[in-house]
Amino acid sequence: MNELIKISSNENDEQVVSARDLHKGIGVKTRFSLWWEQNSRMLIENEDFTSVVLTTEVQNNGGVQLRDLQDYALTIDTAKHLAMQSQTEKGREYRTYFIQVEKAWNSPDMVMKRALQIADKRVIALQNENSQLQLETSVQKQQIAELQPKASYYDWVLQTKGLLAISVIAKQYGKSAQWFNKLLHELGIQYKQGKVWLLYQKYAEQGYTKTNFAPDDAERLHPHTYWTQKGMLFIYETLKKENILPLVEHEDVT
């Protein structure tokens, strides 16, 4: 069967044709907009046809300009009706063609083929949904894993009362006090004066540390720097930017 007009399938698995293609094919002399106005009065939109806007190129002052054209996607039944209504030889030819197209479309082989295609599409859709769910689950697991060190460290900080020495904080990262002090110095947070680590001026007034005096072996008082809860959280946020996180599990430090 030779194709007289392009036939497509819409989202409802119905065969449809272009009203403009039909108008041109059946050879009526009336311009398309008037022909459509005269012949579509008894038609029901979204049942017999759907509105379609086409984009076409037109010559304009030696250049090319895009222009929107109004078209309509007709069901085969509607196309048969309009073809017969034209009362032209071509119109009768098109009506006969549409009848043959319908018979082929509704044959057992074609019905089975479409059913298999629909089933295949459904399987693919379910596979895509499953893949998306697996991706979302993986992302959620990763987010939980990423947040776990933060939650554990925050819990530990909030449960900690009073001030802590840097050696205790370093332990939460699996490091020594010496290593930790050196890191904070390299990050421009603190400097050493004598035997005491002090914060640089821009951090000194933020309430991150407290300096207390404790006696040494000779009963002489020496300053020692201790970190507040606010300071411990500051350390966490700063080191997180360097991809340095505390251990997930913490020993009892109380």
Side-chain angles (χ1 to χ4, degrees):
M1 181 172 57
N2 294 328
E3 185 181 71
L4 286 181
I5 187 173
K6 181 180 178 181
I7 298 178
S8 306
S9 299
N10 64 14
E11 58 188 19
N12 297 322
D13 198 34
E14 298 173 324
Q15 289 185 301
V16 293
V17 298
S18 162
R20 285 188 175 272
D21 288 351
L22 179 62
H23 171 263
K24 181 179 180 180
I26 60 179
V28 293
K29 303 301 182 181
T30 310
R31 72 177 185 275
F32 174 75
S33 58
L34 181 58
W35 172 81
W36 177 255
E37 181 181 351
Q38 292 172 341
N39 289 273
S40 64
R41 292 170 182 167
M42 301 301 292
L43 302 181
I44 301 174
E45 187 168 5
N46 296 323
E47 184 175 324
D48 299 317
F49 70 93
T50 55
S51 180
V52 178
V53 177
L54 305 176
T55 301
T56 185
E57 294 182 352
V58 295
Q59 297 296 323
N60 184 20
N61 295 327
V64 176
Q65 181 180 4
L66 297 180
R67 191 179 74 178
D68 290 339
L69 284 180
Q70 180 63 55
D71 197 2
Y72 306 91
L74 311 174
T75 65
I76 295 297
D77 275 343
T78 302
K80 281 193 302 183
H81 168 73
L82 294 177
M84 193 61 186
Q85 195 167 297
S86 70
Q87 297 182 354
T88 65
E89 186 63 33
K90 277 291 186 181
R92 287 188 287 273
E93 181 183 352
Y94 269 71
R95 179 179 180 276
T96 301
Y97 175 75
F98 289 140
I99 292 173
Q100 293 173 339
V101 166
E102 277 188 312
K103 287 181 179 179
W105 181 257
N106 293 319
S107 67
D109 288 345
M110 287 299 297
V111 171
M112 179 60 69
K113 181 180 179 180
R114 292 199 303 279
L116 291 174
Q117 289 173 340
I118 293 172
D120 288 342
K121 290 179 181 179
R122 183 56 181 159
V123 169
I124 292 173
L126 289 173
Q127 289 174 339
N128 290 338
E129 290 177 9
N130 185 52
S131 297
Q132 182 63 28
L133 288 173
Q134 289 179 343
L135 175 60
E136 291 175 359
T137 300
S138 298
V139 171
Q140 289 173 351
K141 287 181 179 179
Q142 179 172 317
Q143 289 175 332
I144 291 172
E146 291 171 347
L147 291 173
Q148 185 62 43
K150 178 178 179 178
S152 299
Y153 183 81
Y154 268 51
D155 290 342
W156 173 73
V157 170
L158 295 176
Q159 292 170 9
T160 301
K161 305 300 180 182
L163 306 173
L164 287 183
I166 196 66
S167 59
V168 179
I169 300 173
K171 186 178 180 182
Q172 309 312 309
Y173 287 81
K175 304 295 183 180
S176 67
Q178 182 180 3
W179 184 93
F180 216 74
N181 277 324
K182 181 180 178 182
L183 174 64
L184 296 182
H185 173 64
E186 291 173 351
L187 293 175
I189 295 173
Q190 64 179 14
Y191 65 97
K192 194 171 186 180
Q193 184 170 317
K195 295 183 178 181
V196 183
W197 287 99
L198 301 173
L199 298 185
Y200 283 107
Q201 188 61 39
K202 68 176 181 178
Y203 301 116
E205 299 177 357
Q206 301 299 320
Y208 295 151
T209 60
K210 293 284 185 180
T211 301
N212 290 342
F213 287 84
D216 59 14
D217 293 339
E219 298 299 321
R220 289 174 297 190
L221 294 179
H222 285 280
H224 293 271
T225 300
Y226 296 89
W227 290 81
T228 65
Q229 281 187 345
K230 184 178 180 182
M232 286 183 274
L233 295 179
F234 163 72
I235 288 175
Y236 171 80
E237 296 296 343
T238 301
L239 297 190
K240 182 175 70 171
K241 296 176 183 177
E242 304 295 325
N243 292 320
I244 301 174
L245 293 173
L247 302 176
V248 175
E249 301 296 337
H250 300 293
E251 298 179 10
D252 186 3
V253 297
T254 56

